[in-house]
């Protein structure tokens, strides 16, 4: 058995970032930035008021209770700005440029207006309630790194800088193939010995939830020619392939036979539970080089294996700088028991908030075929080899939710 970090490192070292494409600002949301963004302007572009109130000269307002004469008004968007002289104030709105002469703004809540006079109830230092030009960004500031995920804040930043064409990394197109003679389509009624193919829809959903494109390559029977045809079809049309089933020690594990013939594969027994068997390699065919993740067939194993081994590699292909699964600290609500077996266990747990802490509660059924427990899980509690974790003890949890 090989340790999980070694398997993860091997997979990550074998994949490459996909090429960059230009997309529109609105299409850039949820993508990964291909190049760093360096500001080319002062943001804010001009000093402006942070509040509604009165623009004044701070030297006129060194003590509370000063009365000034109101000589005009500037609103946001104003381009003609009256100057503020000694003893004067100008009514100003949030976002309006600071008029010449003024260097501070008294909040309207701190002002008592009587006719064309205003009394300030507090003293004001220079710069009070003023947003200086460039205090957010200045030319040359690297404001986003390549590999950053473009969230709503980044979209706003790009818009502010006028970047309406955004270089993003192409989103990996991931083909999903199920294998097994026992599998029928979810819309069919299984006959004797058959079950519905649940991995394919589950993996497609997971791939999309993690921000990649999923392509359904169907379900191949346990037949070498059929599996090879399906895989080569996937190689021709996808950036990466995910297969489920046929990678363990069974007699009809033809995925193994086919992948060994057409790919440069490494077959691993990883020191984890569930999801011990895992295959990874690269298929070079028709001028393309496509990584393939051979996941075990058991439904829980296939999803856990994807999260721990395939998702980080796909994030790397997608250009993400941070590829590791997100791990959060939690407290066990009850003992999370396990036996010593040389493996790290990933127990399916529900997470609940309790004050400032997350509380992890194990699903009652921890078998690799127990889909009902998997469907309710929020995370995977990491139980290093040993006897487990006692009630109230800390435990790390790999988040299964979208992030
Ligand atoms: P395998 O890895 O092919 O030996 O399959 C291990 C277990 O997972 C068997 O019980 C299979 O029936 C089950 N299995 C394999 N593929 C799927 C699938 N796509 N959907 C649901 N169960 C599956
Ligand atoms: Mg099988």
């Amino acid at each position: 058995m090989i340790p999980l970090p070694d398997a993860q490192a091997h997979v990550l070292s074998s994949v490459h970032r996909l090429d960059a494409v230009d997309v529109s600002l609105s299409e850039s949301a949820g993508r990964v930035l291909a190049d760093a963004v360096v500001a080319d302007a002062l943001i804010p572009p001009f000093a402006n008021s942070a509040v509604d109130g009165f623009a004044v000269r701070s030297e006129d307002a060194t003590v509370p209770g000063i009365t000034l004469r109101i000589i005009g008004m500037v609103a946001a968007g104003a381009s003609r700005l009256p100057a503020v002289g000694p003893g004067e104030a100008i009514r100003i709105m949030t976002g309006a440029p600071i008029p010449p002469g003024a260097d501070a703004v008294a909040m309207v809540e701190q002002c008592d207006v009587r006719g064309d006079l205003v009394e300030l109830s507090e003293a004001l230092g220079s710069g009070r309630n003023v947003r200086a030009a460039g205090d957010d960004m200045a030319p040359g500031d690297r404001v986003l790194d390549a590999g950053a995920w473009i969230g709503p804040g980044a979209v706003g930043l790009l818009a502010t800088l006028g970047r309406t064409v955004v270089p993003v990394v192409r989103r990996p197109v991931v083909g999903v193939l199920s294998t097994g003679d026992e599998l029928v389509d979810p819309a069919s009624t299984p006959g004797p010995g058959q079950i519905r193919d649940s991995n394919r829809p589950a993996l497609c959903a997971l791939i999309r939830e993690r921000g990649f494109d999923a392509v359904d390559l169907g379900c191949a029977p346990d037949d070498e020619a059929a599996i090879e045809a399906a895989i080569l079809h996937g190689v021709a049309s996808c950036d990466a392939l995910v297969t489920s089933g046929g990678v363990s020690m069974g007699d009809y594990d033809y995925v193994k036979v086919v992948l060994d013939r057409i790919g440069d594969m490494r077959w691993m027994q990883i020191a984890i539970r569930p999801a011990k068997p895992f295959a990874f390699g690269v298929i070079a065919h028709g001028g393309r080089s496509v990584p393939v993740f051979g996941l075990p067939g058991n439904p829980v194993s296939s999803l856990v294996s994807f999260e721990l081994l395939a998702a980080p590699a796909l994030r790397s292909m997608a250009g993400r700088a941070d590829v590791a699964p997100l791990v959060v600290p939690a407290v066990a609500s009850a003992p999370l028991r396990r036996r010593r077996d040389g493996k790290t266990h990933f127990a399916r747990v529900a997470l609940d908030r309790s004050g400032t802490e997350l509380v992890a509660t194990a699903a009652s059924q921890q078998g690799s075929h127990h889909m009902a427990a998997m469907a309710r899980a929020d995370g995977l509690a990491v139980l290093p080899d040993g006897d487990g974790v006692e009630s109230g003890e800390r435990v790390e949890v790999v988040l299964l939710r979208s992030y």
Side-chain angles (χ1 to χ4, degrees):
M1 287 193 298
I2 65 170
L4 176 63
D6 292 2
Q8 288 168 322
H10 168 69
V11 172
L12 277 174
S13 69
S14 315
V15 298
H16 308 283
R17 198 196 87 163
L18 298 180
D19 38 313
V21 286
D22 284 341
V23 298
S24 70
L25 180 60
S26 63
E27 287 168 335
S28 73
R31 308 294 300 265
V32 178
L33 200 58
D35 298 324
V37 174
V38 177
D40 57 359
L42 291 172
I43 305 294
F46 48 86
N48 67 94
S49 181
V51 296
D52 295 324
F54 289 87
V56 304
R57 293 153 29 102
S58 60
E59 60 199 277
D60 285 350
T62 51
V63 292
I66 295 293
T67 296
L68 303 171
R69 196 161 59 81
I70 304 168
I71 58 150
M73 196 270 281
V74 289
S79 55
R80 292 165 64 92
L81 305 173
V84 179
E88 294 176 346
I90 288 182
R91 190 183 286 273
I92 190 167
M93 308 303 149
T94 304
I98 301 296
D103 66 341
V105 178
M107 275 175 94
V108 72
E109 292 84 346
Q110 310 286 347
C111 295
D112 185 13
V113 179
R114 290 183 304 273
D116 66 349
L117 297 179
V118 56
E119 184 184 327
L120 314 184
S121 65
E122 61 172 10
L124 298 171
S126 181
R128 180 68 194 245
N129 295 322
V130 174
R131 302 165 176 160
D135 98 334
D136 189 2
M137 299 174 238
D141 287 356
R142 175 195 281 255
V143 285
L144 287 174
D145 287 323
W149 184 74
I150 304 176
V155 172
L157 181 154
L158 292 163
T160 291
L161 292 173
R163 308 288 170 87
T164 54
V165 176
V166 184
V168 299
V169 180
R170 207 159 53 70
R171 197 185 267 143
V173 176
V174 186
V176 180
L177 177 70
S178 287
T179 64
D181 278 344
E182 75 280 29
L183 304 176
V184 299
D185 193 79
S188 306
T189 303
Q194 296 182 321
I195 58 169
R196 295 192 177 97
D197 174 3
S198 62
N199 290 353
R200 200 158 35 106
L203 286 167
C204 285
L206 181 51
I207 287 164
R208 292 187 184 117
E209 191 177 273
R210 294 293 170 263
F212 317 118
D213 285 341
V215 171
D216 185 343
L217 296 175
C219 180
D222 289 317
D223 170 88
E224 255 189 80
I227 292 172
E228 178 169 344
I231 288 177
L232 290 181
H233 172 67
V235 167
S237 52
C238 302
D239 299 305
L241 293 189
V242 170
T243 66
S244 83
V247 296
S248 42
M249 302 295 195
D251 283 347
Y252 297 94
D253 288 342
Y254 289 119
V255 175
K256 197 166 185 165
V257 176
V258 171
L259 288 180
D260 263 340
R261 183 148 44 73
I262 62 175
D264 177 14
M265 300 299 297
R266 180 158 165 198
W267 302 87
M268 296 172 242
Q269 299 291 316
I270 303 176
I272 57 173
R273 180 180 167 155
K276 183 172 71 151
F278 173 72
F280 175 78
V282 175
I283 300 176
H285 186 83
R288 293 171 60 80
S289 215
V290 174
V292 52
F293 303 89
L295 311 184
N298 273 309
V300 175
S301 304
S302 67
L303 294 179
V304 169
S305 191
F306 182 92
E307 291 282 17
L308 299 178
L309 290 146
L314 291 168
R315 279 194 277 273
S316 176
M317 292 174 71
R320 281 285 289 265
D322 51 337
V323 299
L326 199 61
V327 175
V328 295
V331 171
S333 68
L336 293 163
R337 299 240 186 273
R338 52 155 297 169
R339 284 199 209 106
R340 287 174 190 272
D341 58 4
K343 299 178 196 164
T344 301
H345 289 200
F346 289 88
R348 271 69 71 209
V349 294
L351 290 174
D352 295 291
R353 261 179 280 257
S354 168
T356 56
E357 287 187 323
L358 286 174
V359 175
T361 306
S364 56
Q365 295 185 298
Q366 294 287 337
S368 59
H369 63 293
H370 283 132
M371 235 178 308
M374 183 70 190
R376 288 192 297 266
D378 300 308
L380 304 170
V382 185
L383 306 177
D385 195 20
D387 303 321
V389 167
E390 293 305 321
S391 177
E393 277 183 1
R394 302 217 145 259
V395 63
E396 295 204 313
V397 178
V398 176
L399 276 191
L400 290 175
R401 294 187 188 170
S402 198
Y403 46 88

